Amino acid sequence: MQKLVSYSGEADFSHGKSMYHGHHVEVYSLPCKRSRITAPFVFNGQIRKKPKTTIEILPDECLFEIFKRLNGNQERSSCASVSKHWLNLLSTITQSSNQESKGHLSRFLKGKKATDTRLLAIAIGANSHGGLGNLSINGNNPTRGVTDFGLKAISRNCPSIKDLSLWNLPSISDEGIIEIAKKCHNLEKIDFCQIPISNKSLIAIAKNCPNLKEINLESCSNLGNEGLQEIGQSCQKLKSISIKNCSQIVDQGIASLLSSLSYSLMKLNLQGLNIGDMSLAVIGHYAIEITELALTGLCKVTEKGFWVMGNGQGLQKLKSLTITSCFGVTDLGLEALGRGCPNLNRFALKKCAILSDNGIVSFAKFALSLETLLLQECHRVTQYGIFTLLVKSKLKNLTLENCFGIKDSVPGIPFPCSNFLESFSIRNCPGFGNNSLMLLGQLCPQLQNIEFTGLDGITDEGFALLIESCEAGLVSVRLRNCPKLTDKMVSELCKIHGGTLDVLNLDGCTSITDSSLVSVASDCLLLTELDVSGSGITDSGVAALACAVHLNLRILSISNCRLVSDKSLPFLVKLGESLAGLNIKKCYGISNSGVGLMADHLWNCDILS
């Protein structure tokens, strides 16, 4: 017993052995389980906690194999939402072909939201919602923007993509675009602007995307002729191509492209390129299916280039032509274009300083199908040229912008009447005055739509001569920033054309007052759009409009009318029963509470305040 009492836990005490050896009794201890240790392990005085069991301790190779075996898109999306680490791993797995993913989704990333992480999330999640069809990225996050890693994820997971637009992404390269080309064979449209890619990207797209129909390239300084040559040879379904400010593309690239696509290409836009007369000659010869052509800032093209293009007889199907800032456009070249484009319907000529009256008159004489013409900053075109053009052509729509060569004068010879012009717009041509208005009315009795902007020289007297001559009845009248037009003109207009007038815009006509609104309320039976912004109307004028039983306005703008106050609220609410849009910006007499009151009542009307 003494031995038992003095036991200190040393080695002489053991399970299953005798603890006391006396003369009469022997005590025996049965074997027992080892006790569970719940306290932390202590080694060298430091506490080490037992590590938790978690899937995160698995190496990436194991997680990769697990993720590869996920069958459904929903499971992949759920796993991707666990952590960025899992999202990155999932994005590296090529998604098996899914027949249900037909590319119904459109996604747009801009500025700070344009990151690889968001792109990975789109790549993983798109297939569970019908597949990605349209991806547009504009700009970059300044610290963690879109790179080739994000584009590769799109290529592996979104083979259904058809429309890809990449703008201002300095961190991507050929590597990312080539991966897209190799795996996204359904691409039909690409739009690249200011991205550092080379011909390798275009060649890969051309070889792997046979369904490509539209290409837009802008400010991609590393692109050259080789890429365009491959596009021309491989993309026989291409319908539209636009190339802007790509400095390495020259005549050879344009020639090889157009000669290969002469039977498919329908739209062509060339801007700011180092091309010359040879390219225009190729257009004139090979562009036999082109219906829309735009040429901008081609400084190396001369008169010869436009002359050869017009005489090439290849533009027989051309319907729309725009020429901007091309100093080689002369009267001779324009006449040749008129001869060579017999089906041209719309023509816009902008910033062509050398062109004169003879050129536009000769062009219209031969372009017998021409119906719409825009002249902008053509300062050698005069009043005589404009009205001669109207008489000798079948123009239906004419627009003049910033043409300072037009002077208001009485012509020395009479002009015959033209019964074709229906719409006439003139903006910021200060020389256009009352004499020109009178002549316009005499020559064009079928006018229905007129727009005058920034004409300080026209007055009520001149405008009265015009509206009295319009036999067909004016439908749309837009008079912006014409300060000398007054209530007298509006009253005359409403009396004569109130039965046909649909749109009346008097924005910035500071001499307009409540009397004009009274005339509108009294005589305009079909008016749906009225704009009196920046005028001198008051609450009384708004009340007059509201009292017109027959008036059924859809759009009303009284912005910057500072004499309109909360007293107009009940009248605006009454007018709002038919309104779809109401503009009361800068109406400082209307309180915020008044705006809220209107919003409560006019729930079917968009209010700008």
Side-chain angles (χ1 to χ4, degrees):
M1 181 63 71
Q2 182 180 4
K3 207 171 192 180
L4 178 61
V5 173
S6 63
Y7 174 70
S8 60
E10 299 299 330
D12 54 353
F13 177 71
S14 60
H15 299 293
K17 293 184 181 181
S18 174
M19 293 189 299
Y20 178 76
H21 302 279
H23 296 285
H24 305 289
V25 180
E26 191 176 81
V27 179
Y28 187 82
S29 174
L30 293 173
C32 64
K33 293 181 179 179
R34 187 170 60 182
S35 61
R36 178 177 295 174
I37 299 174
T38 57
F41 296 103
V42 179
F43 299 99
N44 299 328
Q46 296 182 354
I47 298 177
R48 295 187 180 180
K49 293 184 177 180
K50 186 178 180 180
K52 295 181 179 180
T53 302
T54 172
I55 198 173
E56 288 289 354
I57 67 173
L58 291 177
D60 288 350
E61 292 80 4
C62 292
L63 288 173
F64 185 85
E65 292 299 325
I66 294 172
F67 292 155
K68 276 177 62 177
R69 287 159 175 78
L70 294 176
N71 294 324
N73 293 320
Q74 190 61 46
E75 288 82 357
R76 288 169 54 85
S77 297
S78 299
C79 291
S81 63
V82 171
S83 67
K84 286 186 179 180
H85 180 59
W86 283 26
L87 175 63
N88 289 338
L89 277 178
L90 279 162
S91 69
T92 61
I93 302 173
T94 300
Q95 177 78 338
S96 59
S97 179
N98 188 349
Q99 298 299 326
E100 296 181 358
S101 298
K102 297 182 179 180
H104 299 296
L105 293 182
S106 296
R107 292 293 180 262
F108 177 69
L109 299 178
K110 184 177 182 180
K112 293 182 179 180
K113 294 183 178 180
T115 63
D116 274 344
T117 301
R118 287 182 180 269
L119 211 52
L120 299 186
I122 290 173
I124 299 300
N127 281 326
S128 60
H129 295 84
L132 186 65
N134 185 341
L135 176 63
S136 178
I137 309 175
N138 189 347
N140 226 349
N141 187 292
T143 57
R144 41 181 172 50
V146 172
T147 66
D148 292 331
F149 182 73
L151 293 183
K152 289 179 181 179
I154 292 293
S155 71
R156 285 188 287 264
N157 293 276
C158 304
S160 60
I161 191 169
K162 296 179 180 179
D163 188 337
L164 179 63
S165 178
L166 305 176
W167 281 48
N168 306 315
L169 301 176
S171 301
I172 68 172
S173 66
D174 289 325
E175 186 179 352
I177 301 298
I178 290 174
E179 285 299 313
I180 290 279
K182 287 181 178 179
K183 296 176 180 177
C184 301
H185 303 300
N186 295 322
L187 270 178
E188 295 181 358
K189 177 183 177 181
I190 59 171
D191 187 356
F192 297 159
C193 176
Q194 292 185 352
I195 58 175
I197 60 173
S198 69
N199 289 319
K200 294 179 181 179
S201 294
L202 280 189
I203 292 173
I205 290 173
K207 290 182 176 180
N208 293 281
C209 304
N211 297 319
L212 204 62
K213 297 178 181 179
E214 182 176 348
I215 297 178
N216 298 314
L217 306 172
E218 182 174 355
S219 301
C220 298
S221 57
N222 296 326
L223 295 180
N225 299 325
E226 294 82 1
L228 290 186
Q229 183 176 1
E230 188 64 41
I231 290 287
Q233 293 175 355
S234 303
C235 301
Q236 293 300 309
K237 295 182 180 180
L238 195 65
K239 301 295 183 183
S240 172
I241 186 165
S242 173
I243 309 173
K244 301 179 181 180
N245 305 316
C246 298
S247 56
Q248 293 192 29
I249 293 177
V250 295
D251 288 326
Q252 181 184 354
I254 300 299
S256 60
L257 176 73
L258 295 180
S259 59
S260 301
L261 298 173
S262 58
Y263 291 100
S264 64
L265 196 63
M266 300 180 68
K267 297 181 181 179
L268 178 62
N269 184 2
L270 304 178
Q271 176 176 327
L273 304 180
N274 292 319
I275 60 175
D277 295 338
M278 176 184 173
S279 292
L280 265 65
V282 172
I283 293 174
H285 184 74
Y286 287 103
I288 57 178
E289 295 294 329
I290 284 185
T291 59
E292 296 184 23
L293 174 63
L295 307 173
T296 303
L298 305 181
C299 300
K300 293 185 177 181
V301 176
T302 67
E303 178 185 71
K304 179 181 178 181
F306 286 100
W307 186 87
V308 173
M309 183 172 73
N311 285 283
Q313 301 301 314
L315 299 176
Q316 300 294 309
K317 294 184 178 181
L318 188 65
K319 293 183 178 180
S320 176
L321 174 62
T322 301
I323 301 177
T324 305
S325 300
C326 293
F327 304 114
V329 177
T330 62
D331 295 341
L332 180 63
L334 201 61
E335 180 180 341
L337 283 177
R339 293 177 184 271
C341 306
N343 294 301
L344 190 66
N345 180 265
R346 300 180 302 276
F347 184 33
L349 200 57
K350 306 176 183 179
K351 300 180 180 180
C352 297
I354 302 178
L355 188 68
S356 70
D357 293 341
N358 293 332
I360 62 168
V361 172
S362 298
F363 177 86
K365 178 181 177 181
F366 294 105
L368 300 179
S369 300
L370 188 65
E371 293 184 352
T372 302
L373 176 64
L374 166 64
L375 298 177
Q376 182 186 91
E377 295 187 34
C378 298
H379 301 308
R380 294 187 63 187
V381 176
T382 68
Q383 182 199 65
Y384 175 81
I386 295 299
F387 289 115
T388 304
L389 171 70
L390 292 177
V391 171
K392 293 190 176 182
S393 69
K394 297 181 180 180
L395 275 180
K396 292 183 178 181
N397 309 286
L398 175 62
T399 300
L400 307 174
E401 293 184 6
N402 301 306
C403 295
F404 298 150
I406 298 176
K407 304 298 181 183
D408 195 47
S409 59
V410 178
I413 57 174
F415 287 94
C417 183
S418 172
N419 290 315
F420 297 99
L421 194 68
E422 297 175 357
S423 299
F424 180 74
S425 299
I426 182 163
R427 305 164 189 152
N428 303 314
C429 299
F432 196 91
N434 287 341
N435 290 324
S436 300
L437 278 179
M438 176 187 67
L439 192 56
L440 180 66
Q442 294 175 355
L443 295 181
C444 307
Q446 300 302 314
L447 268 179
Q448 298 179 30
N449 308 293
I450 57 175
E451 177 186 352
F452 300 152
T453 300
L455 302 184
D456 296 339
I458 62 174
T459 64
D460 292 344
E461 290 73 19
F463 199 80
L465 296 175
L466 173 64
I467 59 179
E468 289 173 0
S469 304
C470 296
E471 300 173 357
L474 291 173
V475 176
S476 175
V477 177
R478 303 178 186 273
L479 309 172
R480 299 187 180 97
N481 299 316
C482 299
K484 295 182 180 179
L485 297 180
T486 69
D487 296 328
K488 180 180 178 182
M489 177 276 300
V490 177
S491 176
E492 191 74 15
L493 173 66
C494 293
K495 287 179 181 178
I496 299 176
H497 300 282
T500 58
L501 198 60
D502 177 64
V503 176
L504 178 59
N505 189 321
L506 303 171
D507 182 10
C509 296
T510 54
S511 299
I512 299 300
T513 68
D514 292 335
S515 297
S516 292
L517 295 187
V518 172
S519 299
V520 169
S522 174
D523 299 319
C524 293
L525 305 177
L526 303 176
L527 195 69
T528 61
E529 181 178 335
L530 176 63
D531 189 341
V532 287
S533 302
S535 65
I537 68 166
T538 68
D539 297 325
S540 300
V542 178
L545 282 180
C547 293
V549 178
H550 56 270
L551 203 58
N552 191 33
L553 286 176
R554 298 289 295 162
I555 304 293
L556 175 62
S557 179
I558 55 173
S559 66
N560 201 26
C561 293
R562 308 194 177 192
L563 298 179
V564 176
S565 69
D566 282 344
K567 294 180 180 179
S568 293
L569 292 180
F571 307 117
L572 290 173
V573 170
K574 184 177 181 181
L575 286 168
E577 294 175 359
S578 64
L579 287 178
L582 173 63
N583 186 355
I584 53 174
K585 283 186 175 181
K586 297 184 180 180
C587 290
Y588 300 117
I590 300 178
S591 64
N592 292 332
S593 59
V595 175
L597 178 64
M598 280 195 297
D600 291 339
H601 286 80
L602 306 180
W603 57 270
N604 203 31
C605 175
D606 292 329
I607 301 177
L608 298 179
S609 61

